[in-house]
Amino acid sequence: MINKESVIEKLKEIYEPCMPLIDIVEMGLIYEVNVEGNNVGVVMTFTTPHCPAGFRMVKMVEDKIKELKGVGSVGVKLTFDPPWTKERLNEENRKKLGFI
C-alpha cells in the first residue's frame, strides 16, 4: 500500500547532487507529500532557484517514487515560496555542511 511514510522513505534514497552528504528529505527540500489512492504529489524546492541539478532532481524524485509498487501518477510541483534556507537543516546537518 502506498502511503506518505513509504514515499518519504523512498525519497530519503535521493541525495542533493551538489551536496551529496544529506538526502533531500533531511535537506528540507521536500515541503509536502500527498497520496490520494495510488497517485502521489510532491511539493519541493531547490537550495537556489538557479540550482544546476534542479531539473535532474525532479526527474530523480519522479523515478524514485515510481519504484514503489502500485504507484499510479506522480506529480512534482516546484516552489520557491518559502525559499530554502539553512534553517531547514537540523544542527547536525548544518555542521556537516559547514554552516556552523
Side-chain angles (χ1 to χ4, degrees), residues 49-88:
H50 307 290
C51 176
F55 291 102
R56 183 172 58 149
M57 275 198 304
V58 169
K59 178 79 168 119
M60 292 165 64
V61 166
E62 291 171 344
D63 291 346
K64 190 58 72 173
I65 293 170
K66 288 177 183 176
E67 290 177 7
L68 290 166
K69 186 176 180 173
V71 167
S73 67
V74 177
V76 178
K77 178 183 174 190
L78 284 176
T79 186
F80 298 101
D81 184 22
W84 183 88
T85 67
K86 65 184 178 196
E87 283 70 33
R88 294 193 58 84

Side-chain angles (χ1 to χ4, degrees), residues 20-56:
L21 299 172
I22 302 168
D23 68 73
I24 63 172
V25 174
E26 290 289 318
M27 279 289 295
L29 299 179
I30 303 300
Y31 285 177
E32 194 176 308
V33 173
N34 297 300
V35 178
E36 290 186 28
N38 66 342
N39 300 316
V40 179
V42 173
V43 178
M44 68 177 293
T45 193
F46 305 145
T47 54
T48 171
H50 307 290
C51 176
F55 291 102
R56 183 172 58 149

Side-chain angles (χ1 to χ4, degrees), residues 19 21-22 27 89 92-99:
M19 292 183 259
L21 299 172
I22 302 168
M27 279 289 295
L89 297 165
E92 177 185 342
N93 287 331
R94 275 186 250 146
K95 286 179 183 176
K96 272 187 193 178
L97 296 176
F99 288 119

